[in-house]
Amino acid sequence: MVYLLFAFLVAVTVFAAVKLSKYANVIQQKTAMTGFFAGAVLIAGATSLPEVTTNVTAGVIRSPDLAVGNVLGSNAFNLFVLAAVDMWFRKKKMYVHVSKQSAIPALLGLVLTLVVASAFLIRTSVGFLGIGIDVWLIIALYFGGIFYLNHANKLPDEPPAEKKTTLTLKGAIIRFVIAALIIMAAGSYLTVLGDEIAVITGLGQSFIGSLLIAGATTLPEVSVVYLALKRGQYNGAVGVIIGSNMFNLILLGVADLFYRDATLIGDASSVHWITLLALLILTTVMLAAIYINKGIKRVSWLPSLTVITCYVIMTVLLYMYSGN
C-alpha cells in the first residue's frame, strides 16, 4: 500500500509540475515578466515548496544537520538534474543557446554559496531575532540581488512557449497557486513515505534512504526542466535550477527561526563540507559553461558530463564518510 501511494503521489507531483509550468508561461505572456525571472523566481519558488516543510520540521526537532543537509544536498542534486536532462537532449546543446546574461544570476548563486562556506569556517553564534547573522546575510543578498537584477534589466529573456491562450491572468494565477499547493502537499508527504519505505526495506536512515527522499522532493524540478528543454526554453530551464538553488539557501533562515538552541550553521556537522565543496565546483562549472557559451559548441556536452562525474564522486565520498 505504501508503494502504491508513493507511486500515486509521484504521478500527482509530476502532473502538478507540468501544469505549473503551463500557467507560469501564461503569466509570463500576460505580464512584463522575463522568461528567466519566471523560471528563477516564480517556478523555482513553487517547486521548492516541499523543502519548506522539511526545513521547518528540521528546526522544530532541533536537527541542524537535517536542515543544512537537505538544502545543500537538494542544490547539488538540482545541478545534477540539469546536467542529466542536458545530456538526454544533448543534440539541443543547451549551453550554446543559453544567454550570457544568465551568468549574472548564476554568479549571485555562487556568491550565496560562498557565504554559506564562510559561515562554516567562522562558526559564529551571533544572531538576530532568532536567526544567525550569517543566514541574515544570505537572505539580504538574495532579495537585494534579485530586486536589482530584475529592475536593472540584467536578466535574460525569451518568449513564452505557448503564444495563444484563452486563460486570463487572474485565472492563470489562481491555477498556478493551486498547482503549487498540490506540489507542496504531495512533495512533503512523499518525504514521509520515502522515509517509511527506507525503513520497510531495511535501509533505515541510511545513505540510500536519504537519496530516495532527495529524489522525491526534487521531482517538480525534474519535470519542469525536462519540459523547458524539450520546448527549447533554455534560459527558463537554467533559471529554474539557479532560482531553486538560491531559494533553498534562504530556507536556512526558515529552519534557523525554528531552531532555538543557537545558530543553525554554527551547530551543523563538518561532514557537510563534502557537499558544500562539491556544490561550489558544480556551480562554477555551470557558470563557466554559460559564460563561454558558443565557445564550447563542439564539446557542449562536457560541462554536464563534468557535473555528473563530480556529483557521483561526491555521492561516493558522502557514503564513505557519513558513517552509514
Side-chain angles (χ1 to χ4, degrees), residues 60-73:
V60 170
I61 66 175
R62 299 180 177 181
S63 177
D65 287 330
L66 176 60
V68 174
N70 174 58
V71 167
L72 297 181

Side-chain angles (χ1 to χ4, degrees), residues 5 10 27 32 46-47 59 106 115 120 129 142 144 157-158 181 203 221-222 235 250 268 289 307-308 317 320 322:
L5 185 56
V10 165
I27 294 172
T47 56
V115 172
F120 264 92
L129 297 178
Y142 171 78
D157 194 15
E158 61 189 357
L181 291 175
L203 298 173
E221 284 87 350
V222 175
N235 291 321
I250 67 170
V307 167
I308 292 172
L317 289 175
M320 291 172 61
S322 63

Side-chain angles (χ1 to χ4, degrees), residues 150-170:
N150 188 50
H151 283 267
N153 294 320
K154 298 290 185 180
L155 297 176
D157 194 15
E158 61 189 357
E162 297 176 18
K163 296 182 179 180
K164 295 182 180 179
T165 179
T166 57
L167 195 61
T168 64
L169 177 60
K170 182 180 178 181

Side-chain angles (χ1 to χ4, degrees), residues 95-156:
Y95 284 115
V96 174
H97 300 287
V98 171
S99 170
K100 279 192 175 183
Q101 277 190 299
S102 295
I104 302 175
L107 181 60
L108 175 60
L110 181 61
V111 169
L112 293 177
T113 309
L114 285 170
V115 172
V116 175
S118 300
F120 264 92
L121 283 173
I122 299 171
R123 297 281 183 171
T124 180
S125 59
V126 179
F128 177 68
L129 297 178
I131 299 177
I133 198 69
D134 43 13
V135 178
W136 274 118
L137 180 58
I138 294 169
I139 295 172
L141 285 172
Y142 171 78
F143 285 106
I146 290 296
F147 179 83
Y148 169 75
L149 292 176
N150 188 50
H151 283 267
N153 294 320
K154 298 290 185 180
L155 297 176

Side-chain angles (χ1 to χ4, degrees), residues 268-310:
S269 170
S270 58
V271 73
H272 297 297
W273 266 113
I274 297 174
T275 312
L276 189 52
L277 289 174
L279 183 57
L280 287 169
I281 293 171
L282 300 184
T283 306
T284 302
V285 170
M286 178 188 66
L287 176 60
I290 293 172
Y291 183 77
I292 297 172
N293 201 257
K294 291 179 172 58
I296 57 170
K297 188 172 183 179
R298 293 185 178 180
V299 288
S300 59
W301 46 267
L302 186 58
S304 291
L305 181 61
T306 303
V307 167
I308 292 172
T309 303
C310 289

Side-chain angles (χ1 to χ4, degrees), residues 171-214:
I173 292 174
I174 291 173
R175 287 167 174 78
F176 181 90
V177 172
I178 292 173
L181 291 175
I182 291 173
I183 287 175
M184 182 177 182
S188 301
Y189 197 45
L190 273 172
T191 302
V192 177
L193 288 178
D195 192 45
E196 280 188 40
I197 291 173
V199 173
I200 292 172
T201 56
L203 298 173
Q205 297 299 319
S206 70
F207 168 78
I208 300 177
S210 298
L211 276 186
L212 180 63
I213 295 171

